[in-house]
Amino acid sequence: MTTETTSAAPTPPVLSVAMVTLGCARNEVDSEELAGRLEADGFLLVDDPAMADTVVVNTCGFVEAAKKDSVDTLLQAADLKASAHQGGRAQAVVAVGCLAERYGKDLAASLPEADAVLGFDDYPDIAARLRSIVAGEVHHPHTPQDRRLLLPISPVDRAASTAAVPGHGDVADVTTVGLGGPATGPRAVRRRLDAGPMAALKLASGCDRRCSFCAIPAFRGSFVSRRPSDVISEARWLAEQGAREVFLVSENSTSYGKDLGDLRLLETLLPELTAIDGIDRVRVSYLQPAETRPGLVEAIATTPGVAAYFDLSFQHASATVLRRMRRFGDTESFLGLLAQVRSYAPEAGVRSNVIVGFPGETEDDLETLCDFLVAARMDVTGVFGYSDEDGTEAASYDDKLDEDEVRARVEHVSGLVEELNAQRAEERIGERVLVLVESLEEDADGVVAEGRGAHQGPEVDGTTTVTDLPAGTRVGDLVAAEVVATDGVDLVAEALPVERSAR
């Protein structure tokens, strides 16, 4: 009698991966989706790229400076691989994100230092892709295409599409440690990479607008809203992971719900999000002025738990320039919108971006913009000089200004904005602010907190330093304070006594 023995298939080695994220908060969400998929498939996530078998760089492809930063980061990761014999581990460097999606095989050909360039369609199978790349298999990058063509023209027909939409995740019952243990309901595939008290949350992806200077819709695709139930489920999960503020991100939040049959869906979603246990503040990003309806202004400005914060993409104030940009509005309508905001919330935060040096911009157009900025009294304004972007309508325009003139106009407007933003900060002296504590440190006067008031969005809108903190203050607390000084757009505040903080 003979006995047959069978041996189990060898367990594949555990591979470590480091995610390096560039660009906006939308990219941060995409990276956390990729991290969730990888961890669920057995990858070990590490913070230090030098200690990772695979370095995944989530690139930005928005403007020239961001593209350069992405390429430089990929080259730095490739250097780690080249020096792996000196103690590092990197076996593969992989590009994902907007730059990879936008340029595909062209990026791969121009950057042989990267082992692979993956597009958005690779995201659902990211773990299998990385394993094959580490094993030495050659990945053939995609030929870039206009991702708007992947979805139906009619927004209401898009829900049935199977096209990959980064950051929306597969909503399913997931039971991995990276997602907080056994699922109790629908969970988005995501793994937090930052333990801070603020977390970005995808509201939608893509854009249906056709701004003549912007290439984003071509590589991000048409506008697709996430279902409210998915947004709420992920917000609950984020609260369980320690998030106290959720930052709703998209390419155009004012369009939320139009493809779900209800353009006022955001107004009804906001109070549902603020009712989630553990979520103390909800913030909305990227509002398109031409679509910012009165009901949405009221909802953001007056709903308890929602930051009175208006991220309005004005881009310019001259009606002539705006028409060439394929946008709508003018100084009068924009100031009317701001007056409406401040009628509900006089202390509301307002930020925007503007483009100067756009083809055909005259001295009078520039003066119109500057006059608007003076009258608008915004907290923060980003100033960008125009440059041609591949595949955009504006790249074909005549009447382009030379680079020196664009640079001079950027310097002029930036100087004006710096002064105006500092003045607006000074207007807040004596104001009560509710600060989300993001870090604590000790100095000669005791423990000091750094965080953000309701008018300050993450990363780009300045911070508030709070002194005289109540005993036991922790990261993630909301502390009421009074502004006593400023440093540019940054504020210095003193914590109010607890009895006054509670009001």
Coordinates of all heavy atoms in Angstrom, one line a residue, residues 86 223 230:
Q86 N 23.2 48.8 -2.1 CA 23.8 49.5 -1.0 C 23.0 49.5 0.3 O 23.2 50.1 1.2 CB 24.1 50.9 -1.4 CG 25.1 51.1 -2.6 CD 25.3 52.5 -3.0 OE1 24.7 53.4 -2.4 NE2 26.1 52.7 -4.0
F223 N -18.2 63.7 -16.1 CA -18.5 63.9 -14.7 C -19.4 62.6 -14.2 O -20.3 62.3 -14.9 CB -19.4 65.1 -14.5 CG -19.7 65.4 -13.0 CD1 -18.9 66.1 -12.2 CD2 -20.9 64.9 -12.5 CE1 -19.2 66.3 -10.9 CE2 -21.2 65.2 -11.2 CZ -20.4 65.8 -10.4
D230 N -22.8 55.5 -0.9 CA -21.4 55.2 -0.9 C -20.6 56.3 -0.1 O -19.6 56.0 0.6 CB -20.9 55.0 -2.3 CG -21.4 53.8 -3.0 OD1 -22.1 53.0 -2.3 OD2 -21.3 53.7 -4.2

